[in-house]
Amino acid sequence: MNHTKSEQLFERSKRCIPGGVNSPVRAYRAVGRNPVFIERACGSKIYDVDGNGYIDYVCSWGPCILGHCDKEIIDAVKDACDRGLTFGAPTEAECALAELIRGCIPSMEMSRLVSSGTEAVMSAVRVARGYTRRDKIIKFEGCYHGHSDGLLVKAGSGALTQSAPDSAGVPADYAKNTLVARYNDEASVRSLFEANRGQIAAVLVEPVAANMGVVLPKDGFLEFLRDVTKTNGALLIFDEVITGFRLGLGGAQEYFGVTPDLTTLGKIVGGGMPVGAYGGRKEIMETVAPRGCVYQAGTLSGNPLTTAAGIAAIRRLCAGGKALYQELDRKGRYLADTVKTAFGEKAQVNRAGSLLSVFFAANPVTDYETAVRSDTREYARYFNYLLDHGIYTAPSQFEAMFVSAAHTQEDLEKTAEIIRQFVRES
Ligand code: HOZ
């Protein structure tokens, strides 16, 4: 493959954008090459500026569950464009989107739209603190909740990819109220509650961790979090920025049957436009200004393009219903089975529906410690081989692979063949 234009653009970008990218993982540092620059995408395919096409399993890190350029979403956005890009005033569409969210995720009786997942989680944590009048929160090693100061503590995603789970620039004072437990480890949560009696506002968790690679909750872990928060007067916050509308219309909370007090969304709920949303029980959400005393605001929150895209996406998913999610699950399983058969004991595959990760590790990956033990060099070799053969996956061991409704059986079979070829040639 020729990547001349991508190389030139990267050189140019590095002169005016830190690292040449607007989000660290995109720089491909973890996989030892320079990034490809994307020109366009359609359905399951993405095309770079040199004219190379790839089957896309990044799907913009999750939002494109219906594939790229879904006609109904694009038409809805075009239509909204003609009526004005932003008003900074309430619209019917915001109300319609909040109603759709509540219809799919009943625990989100009330919700607020913001412009990114980072904002959504930052705001949900503030609400939890304002509601409980407590300062401390518990998060988990390797879980990523956006880049707000207090949450860049033992964080996953790009922070982990860069081997910098704790960012410079975060004053120790800001982070001191963020307590860190081990994912899937009940004892670590219990001891934090015991050592900080009456001080913990919330436990914040990705119900399926997807930012240290995909790591599933052990049986009973989410139920345990539900119980321990209730017993201790703390709130349970599910960060469903990735799992929301991905594991089913009702997200991870429906998939696992555990109801949190607050939920954060992003990605799919904006149909590909910048978005975040947080919500929960009415009584809790009524602490938000102007109804209550927790302040949160945003000029572009609930803007007409995002709401149009979000409504179109959710309506499409609702129309597809169970059958659509079963098909996504089937495709995810096909890829997981392919990888398991191809690599045997050399690799572990973690999967929930259409969200999956391949770890080059001999033992099961169940938390941060086991995730970081995996062979990132082998992952880089695998990534590069796939990219060079037209398969676009995450350029980091610590991100997920996303399957969309637009992926065809032919895409999956081609992907499977390239994976088998990689193994044969290794
Ligand atoms: N941290 C994001 C995924 N978990 C990556 C976002 C991006 O680079 O676009």
Side-chain angles (χ1 to χ4, degrees), residues 23 25-26 61 144 157-158 211 242 267 399:
S23 191
V25 187
R26 299 180 196 178
W61 310 91
Y144 179 72
S157 188
N211 287 288
I242 289 182
K267 304 190 191 272
E399 300 284 354

Side-chain angles (χ1 to χ4, degrees), residues 230-246:
K230 212 172 214 167
T231 312
N232 288 279
L235 300 186
L236 177 61
I237 309 175
F238 274 6
D239 180 342
E240 296 226 42
V241 167
I242 289 182
T243 52
F245 297 102
R246 165 68 53 187

Side-chain angles (χ1 to χ4, degrees), residues 137-141 143 145 151 153-155 178-181 204:
I137 59 159
I138 296 178
K139 79 173 281 289
F140 293 89
E141 260 183 334
C143 281
H145 303 286
L151 296 175
V153 179
K154 293 277 181 289
T178 307
L179 312 175
V180 182
L204 170 63

Side-chain angles (χ1 to χ4, degrees), residues 87-326:
F87 313 126
T91 61
E92 187 180 345
E94 292 167 280
C95 179
L97 186 48
E99 286 167 350
L100 275 173
I101 291 172
R102 186 179 57 192
C104 295
I105 307 170
S107 74
M108 295 181 79
E109 288 175 355
M110 293 187 123
S111 60
R112 262 282 167 88
L113 289 174
V114 289
S115 296
S116 67
T118 292
E119 259 187 274
V121 185
M122 183 181 82
S123 308
V125 168
R126 187 178 302 145
V127 169
R129 287 177 165 145
Y131 178 78
T132 59
R133 307 264 165 191
R134 297 173 176 182
D135 287 343
K136 296 185 180 176
I137 59 159
I138 296 178
K139 79 173 281 289
F140 293 89
E141 260 183 334
C143 281
Y144 179 72
H145 303 286
H147 61 91
S148 66
D149 283 338
L151 296 175
L152 275 182
V153 179
K154 293 277 181 289
S157 188
L160 182 52
T161 300
Q162 310 255 70
S163 307
D166 301 297
S167 172
V170 175
D173 257 13
Y174 285 23
K176 74 172 188 225
N177 287 316
T178 307
L179 312 175
V180 182
R182 281 178 67 174
Y183 197 76
N184 276 328
D185 181 349
E186 297 183 10
S188 71
V189 178
R190 242 187 241 112
S191 64
L192 286 175
F193 269 107
E194 273 158 27
N196 297 274
R197 254 178 225 291
Q199 297 175 66
I200 294 175
V203 170
L204 170 63
V205 67
E206 291 181 76
V208 172
N211 287 288
M212 48 179 153
V214 172
V215 178
L216 300 178
K218 282 186 181 156
D219 277 354
F221 183 61
L222 297 176
E223 288 83 349
F224 159 75
L225 294 181
R226 181 60 287 177
D227 288 349
V228 78
T229 44
K230 212 172 214 167
T231 312
N232 288 279
L235 300 186
L236 177 61
I237 309 175
F238 274 6
D239 180 342
E240 296 226 42
V241 167
I242 289 182
T243 52
F245 297 102
R246 165 68 53 187
L247 300 190
L249 285 172
Q253 51 200 270
E254 179 186 64
Y255 193 85
F256 293 105
V258 177
T259 307
D261 299 296
L262 288 168
T263 299
T264 62
L265 299 172
K267 304 190 191 272
I268 295 174
V269 78
M273 299 294 291
V275 79
Y278 68 97
R281 279 206 312 283
K282 185 165 180 276
E283 145 220 10
I284 301 172
M285 286 302 286
E286 283 193 331
T287 57
V288 178
R291 186 80 176 81
C293 53
V294 174
Y295 197 75
Q296 177 270 310
T299 299
L300 291 167
S301 295
N303 79 82
L305 304 194
T306 295
T307 46
I311 289 169
I314 295 174
R315 285 199 179 137
R316 285 268 283 112
L317 293 171
C318 289
K322 275 217 168 92
L324 183 143
Y325 283 100
Q326 277 164 359

Side-chain angles (χ1 to χ4, degrees), residues 252-392:
Q253 51 200 270
E254 179 186 64
Y255 193 85
F256 293 105
V258 177
T259 307
D261 299 296
L262 288 168
T263 299
T264 62
L265 299 172
K267 304 190 191 272
I268 295 174
V269 78
M273 299 294 291
V275 79
Y278 68 97
R281 279 206 312 283
K282 185 165 180 276
E283 145 220 10
I284 301 172
M285 286 302 286
E286 283 193 331
T287 57
V288 178
R291 186 80 176 81
C293 53
V294 174
Y295 197 75
Q296 177 270 310
T299 299
L300 291 167
S301 295
N303 79 82
L305 304 194
T306 295
T307 46
I311 289 169
I314 295 174
R315 285 199 179 137
R316 285 268 283 112
L317 293 171
C318 289
K322 275 217 168 92
L324 183 143
Y325 283 100
Q326 277 164 359
E327 183 57 5
L328 282 168
D329 184 72
R330 185 195 68 78
K331 294 177 193 177
R333 192 175 331 113
Y334 179 94
L335 289 174
D337 289 348
T338 299
V339 171
K340 277 185 208 151
T341 311
F343 290 104
E345 286 176 359
K346 266 186 70 181
Q348 306 289 325
V349 188
N350 287 353
R351 178 182 79 91
S354 57
L355 181 65
L356 62 152
S357 274
V358 182
F359 292 92
F360 292 96
N363 297 309
V365 175
T366 56
D367 56 13
Y368 174 88
E369 222 175 280
T370 44
V372 296
R373 251 188 250 142
S374 56
D375 184 348
T376 51
R377 281 201 189 163
E378 186 61 4
Y379 183 86
R381 223 166 62 74
Y382 166 77
F383 166 86
N384 279 293
Y385 188 92
L386 263 57
L387 191 79
D388 288 337
H389 291 81
I391 314 291
Y392 188 78

